[in-house]
Amino acid sequence: MDDCVVRAEGLEKRYGEKRALDGFDLLVRQGTVHGLLGPNGAGKTTAVRILATLLRLDGGQATVAGLDVATQPREVRSRIGLTGQYAALDEILTGRQNLEMFGRLFHLGGKRARSRAAELLERFGLVAAADKGVKGYSGGMRRRLDLAASMILAPAVLFLDEPTTGLDPRGRGEVWDAVRALVADGTTVLLTTQYLEEADRLASRVTVIDQGRAIADDTPDGLKRRVGGDRIEVVVGQRDRIPWVVRAVAQVADSEPEVDLDGLRVHAPVTDRVAALTHVARTLQDLRVPVEDIGLRRPSLDDVFLRLTGRRTEETADVEGAEETAA
């Protein structure tokens, strides 16, 4: 694809006998958010560090904005921004002082650094807190300030490595809004995450990585369809009511309903989620079947990996931990 701004082919990275990347491929289209989805140790951070020229690859090739990461690292760095898993901020300084400091480090000069800091504080909704110490910022405010710092030079490509890890729902939403605003202004974002919901909310395309390889690449909706899409679930209080629920759910299900006798739960995949929920709820009400819970459920990250790899995320070894020692 001619509009791809990030390309990786057969990337390899080894730490002794361990392979953090084992033939990893990636294509990221310009002006989009591309999600890199996988559990801890899958190779996400390793891939980002190679693309950001912070690690040398052991095999394969990669380009960012048309520049080779192995032979043109200085040029690549001038076109990218990077926000890691932890905010790289000075807590003693104010938000404004942090941004001005980064501007001076990027050789903008005092006047331009102050001007750029003011622009970014406005863009990321931090004007009211601009002259307060960062140590008093909430988690979401810190991440927004961190994003602002990575945009000092208005990079063409921004790498976000698990930017919402540890944030509460409000903080996560603040970061998501900031990312959407960046893309609207033309920045291309490669987002690594463990959260399917995050990829679903932000990314137009998602690459699933496991054991250093890309095992799936699709739109969020396409990825969810691979693990069955939406499911309707009904929980009853009495086991003898389960056959009634099975018959009601079977009328709207895409396949035979599954029954969890221990949990007194019946569930099945459905296509028209709202119509299915309405029909089952009305049918059970007419039959006077008491229901403890009824709802729609979308696939979780564990659902994706259980279907694609045959195991859950917590069973994946933390290969990337070897990076810290190697570094």
Side-chain angles (χ1 to χ4, degrees):
M1 292 183 284
D2 294 336
D3 61 345
C4 284
V5 70
V6 176
R7 294 174 179 267
E9 298 179 9
L11 289 189
E12 296 182 1
K13 184 62 182 179
R14 296 180 294 274
Y15 297 98
E17 296 182 356
K18 294 183 177 180
R19 290 180 176 267
L21 293 179
D22 188 16
F24 176 67
D25 299 321
L26 179 69
L27 291 174
V28 179
R29 300 183 67 176
Q30 185 173 5
T32 65
V33 177
H34 191 110
L36 187 55
L37 180 69
N40 286 332
K44 304 185 303 297
T45 296
T46 300
V48 166
R49 289 181 178 179
I50 287 175
L51 294 171
T53 74
L54 298 179
L55 285 176
R56 293 184 179 181
L57 51 83
D58 294 325
Q61 57 185 3
T63 61
V64 176
L67 301 167
D68 191 290
V69 300
T71 62
Q72 300 172 286
R74 185 181 297 273
E75 292 85 351
V76 169
R77 290 170 194 158
S78 70
R79 302 296 302 277
I80 67 173
L82 171 64
T83 298
Q85 296 179 22
Y86 304 100
L89 304 169
D90 188 323
E91 295 195 351
I92 297 176
L93 302 180
T94 66
R96 188 187 307 278
Q97 289 170 335
N98 265 278
L99 293 182
E100 290 181 5
M101 176 186 68
F102 279 108
R104 289 176 179 272
L105 290 174
F106 283 117
H107 308 291
L108 292 185
K111 183 177 180 180
R112 179 56 183 148
R114 289 190 294 274
S115 173
R116 184 60 176 157
E119 293 171 7
L120 292 169
L121 289 167
E122 178 72 31
R123 171 184 289 189
F124 287 91
L126 292 169
V127 173
D131 298 310
K132 297 179 180 178
V134 170
K135 63 182 178 181
Y137 281 23
S138 67
M141 292 170 64
R142 287 171 183 249
R143 295 308 283 167
R144 280 187 285 150
L145 185 61
D146 210 24
L147 282 172
S150 68
M151 295 297 296
I152 290 288
L153 295 182
V157 181
L158 178 61
F159 298 111
L160 300 181
D161 189 14
E162 300 190 20
T164 62
T165 297
L167 295 184
D168 60 23
R170 178 178 179 180
R172 188 172 297 162
E174 290 175 349
V175 173
W176 289 350
D177 289 342
V179 172
R180 293 187 187 101
L182 293 176
V183 176
D185 287 342
T187 299
T188 301
V189 174
L190 178 61
L191 168 77
T192 77
T193 182
Q194 299 183 59
Y195 306 124
L196 186 59
E197 179 191 10
E198 185 160 81
D200 192 18
R201 294 285 190 93
L202 294 176
S204 58
R205 196 163 189 89
V206 174
T207 297
V208 179
I209 181 173
D210 186 42
Q211 296 185 337
R213 293 184 179 183
I215 60 173
D217 186 282
D218 209 334
T219 64
D221 285 342
L223 185 61
K224 287 185 289 184
R225 283 194 295 269
R226 295 191 186 201
V227 294
D230 294 318
R231 301 182 72 86
I232 188 169
E233 290 188 345
V234 182
V235 179
V236 294
Q238 299 175 326
R239 181 172 294 195
D240 61 1
R241 303 289 181 166
I242 287 180
W244 299 56
V245 176
V246 170
R247 286 193 291 272
V249 172
Q251 294 174 11
V252 298
D254 296 335
S255 61
E256 190 71 20
E258 299 178 34
V259 178
D260 174 8
L261 290 176
D262 292 333
L264 301 180
R265 182 172 65 103
V266 177
H267 58 100
V270 294
T271 300
D272 192 338
R273 55 199 307 265
V274 175
L277 180 62
T278 302
H279 176 84
V280 171
R282 184 174 299 150
T283 299
L284 295 177
Q285 184 178 37
D286 292 343
L287 293 172
R288 299 184 182 277
V289 175
V291 172
E292 296 290 328
D293 189 26
I294 182 171
L296 292 163
R297 175 175 173 270
R298 289 192 168 182
S300 66
L301 180 62
D302 272 354
D303 294 328
V304 174
F305 272 83
L306 185 60
R307 179 62 61 86
L308 294 176
T309 72
R311 67 180 186 282
R312 296 191 179 276
T313 57
E314 61 266 22
E315 297 172 11
T316 300
D318 192 357
V319 175
E320 290 185 20
E323 274 184 20
E324 305 301 328
T325 303

